[in-house]
Amino acid sequence: MITSQKLISVELTTDTRRMVLNFEEGWLSLEEGITELIRNIERECEPALNPQQHLNLYTIIYNMCIQKNSDYYSQQLYEKYRQVIEDYTIQTVLPSLREKHGEDMLRELVRRWKNHVILLNWLGKVFRYIDRYYVCRRAIPFPTLGKVGLKCFCDLVYCEMHSTAKEAVLALIHKEREGEEIDRELVKSVLDIYVENGMGTLEKYEEDFENFLLQDTASYYSCKVSRWIQEDSCSDYMLKSEECLENERERVTHYLHSSTEPRLVEAVKEAFDVILKKDGGSEKLA
């Protein structure tokens, strides 16, 4: 198997470096290869490009960037990289998500995120020269291609879908609290998207999901405790409260981010305490 470094080395020793291309000619060839790449990703073909296809596309970009007007071409290629991702997202990804609901939408969101990561990986290889010799060497560097690609997903897909996805995930958690089995791996994969779209922080996970989870948790257990106070003995009530705390900790283990655990446990405890004080539960359970 030929590695990317070997491919670049092979390319640099060929006569293709002397090929002169205007931008339109070069981009037409690149566009054909990128269209094939996207088609293969959609069909889940592995690899999405074979070594020769990868080499050909990389070589075209290399030739365009070392010839006359190379800075001009490099800037255009940088902009085209963004446009390719945006067009694919708007024309293919978003329509596929908008037509699905509930768990089906969550599965499609996970699939689309995985495909997006694969696309960025391959485009990163093809456009590697732009990152190494244009982006990083500017007096004021542009964002790397990887960051541009992630921001495209965040701006176009995440911003539109995160609220709908949050409601679907909370509905699954509610089902699990009621004793139904759910696809925990699906929930974890969805929540990983919140984390990864935070660009190195937990801001989106916390603001767009965790805060709502905590509110929903407090509301859920407040209703439960109100009924348990009326129906259960003190010993049964204590057993249920401990079981609830253990179940919530288990959710953290299986699909919630680890940082959620202390706040989730606190939300459950507060729900129990508030109802006990409000309804005189201590006397009723005595």
Side-chain angles (χ1 to χ4, degrees), residues 33-276:
I34 292 170
T35 298
E36 179 66 16
L37 166 63
I38 291 174
R39 186 181 299 117
N40 289 338
I41 290 174
E42 286 290 304
R43 294 185 301 198
E44 300 183 0
C45 298
E46 293 185 7
L49 288 177
N50 64 45
Q52 187 59 52
Q53 289 172 316
H54 168 216
L55 175 59
N56 290 343
L57 295 176
Y58 178 91
T59 302
I60 292 170
I61 290 177
Y62 173 81
N63 286 326
M64 293 174 72
C65 290
I66 65 169
Q67 62 190 21
K68 187 178 179 180
N69 296 325
S70 60
D71 281 348
Y72 174 67
Y73 284 177
S74 296
Q75 175 64 29
Q76 283 188 300
L77 287 168
Y78 183 87
E79 293 170 356
K80 282 289 189 180
Y81 169 89
R82 182 196 303 272
Q83 183 182 336
V84 163
I85 298 171
E86 289 180 347
D87 289 348
Y88 168 64
T89 302
I90 292 169
Q91 296 168 13
T92 302
V93 176
L94 285 173
S96 73
L97 286 165
R98 289 167 181 159
E99 68 183 15
K100 293 181 172 59
H101 307 280
E103 279 191 68
D104 289 339
M105 183 275 295
L106 294 180
R107 294 185 192 284
E108 185 67 10
L109 179 61
V110 170
R111 186 173 83 89
R112 289 300 172 181
W113 171 248
K114 288 180 178 178
N115 284 354
H116 187 80
V117 172
I118 294 171
L119 177 64
L120 296 193
N121 181 49
W122 278 106
L123 289 180
K125 294 176 181 178
V126 170
F127 284 78
R128 188 186 302 272
Y129 191 88
I130 301 294
D131 247 352
R132 286 184 173 179
Y133 297 98
Y134 177 66
V135 173
C136 295
R137 294 189 177 187
R138 293 180 58 84
I140 303 177
F142 292 161
T144 63
L145 296 178
K147 289 182 179 178
V148 170
L150 288 174
K151 192 172 188 304
C152 285
F153 188 94
C154 185
D155 291 347
L156 295 172
V157 179
Y158 179 85
C159 286
E160 178 173 333
M161 302 304 302
H162 74 78
S163 181
T164 305
K166 174 256 299 178
E167 294 297 334
V169 170
L170 290 179
L172 288 176
I173 294 175
H174 182 85
K175 287 183 178 180
E176 187 175 55
R177 284 172 174 159
E178 290 296 307
E180 295 185 41
E181 288 189 9
I182 66 169
D183 187 342
R184 287 177 162 180
E185 189 59 37
L186 171 63
V187 174
K188 184 180 187 308
S189 296
V190 173
L191 296 183
D192 284 345
I193 296 174
Y194 284 78
V195 174
E196 290 166 23
N197 276 267
M199 307 293 184
T201 75
L202 292 175
E203 180 180 351
K204 294 192 182 302
Y205 171 82
E206 291 174 352
E207 292 184 0
D208 297 335
F209 176 76
E210 185 186 77
N211 288 343
F212 295 94
L213 170 69
L214 298 178
Q215 294 170 18
D216 190 68
T217 299
S219 176
Y220 176 84
Y221 283 110
S222 293
C223 293
K224 288 291 184 182
V225 173
S226 293
R227 191 175 75 246
W228 292 341
I229 288 175
Q230 303 298 326
E231 299 174 352
D232 296 332
S233 66
C234 181
S235 59
D236 288 341
Y237 177 85
M238 295 304 296
L239 286 173
K240 285 183 177 180
S241 65
E242 288 300 319
E243 183 181 8
C244 290
L245 288 171
E246 184 59 32
N247 288 341
E248 297 306 321
R249 291 189 179 99
E250 186 180 354
R251 287 184 183 91
V252 174
T253 301
H254 285 284
Y255 51 75
L256 299 173
H257 193 274
S258 59
S259 63
T260 300
E261 181 170 346
R263 291 186 283 271
L264 185 63
V265 169
E266 186 62 25
V268 176
K269 289 181 177 179
E270 285 184 2
F272 277 76
D273 291 343
V274 167
I275 296 300
L276 283 173

Side-chain angles (χ1 to χ4, degrees), residues 21-36:
L21 293 170
N22 63 43
F23 187 82
E24 290 72 22
E25 291 172 336
W27 180 250
L28 182 62
S29 297
L30 285 170
E31 194 171 33
E32 291 176 356
I34 292 170
T35 298
E36 179 66 16

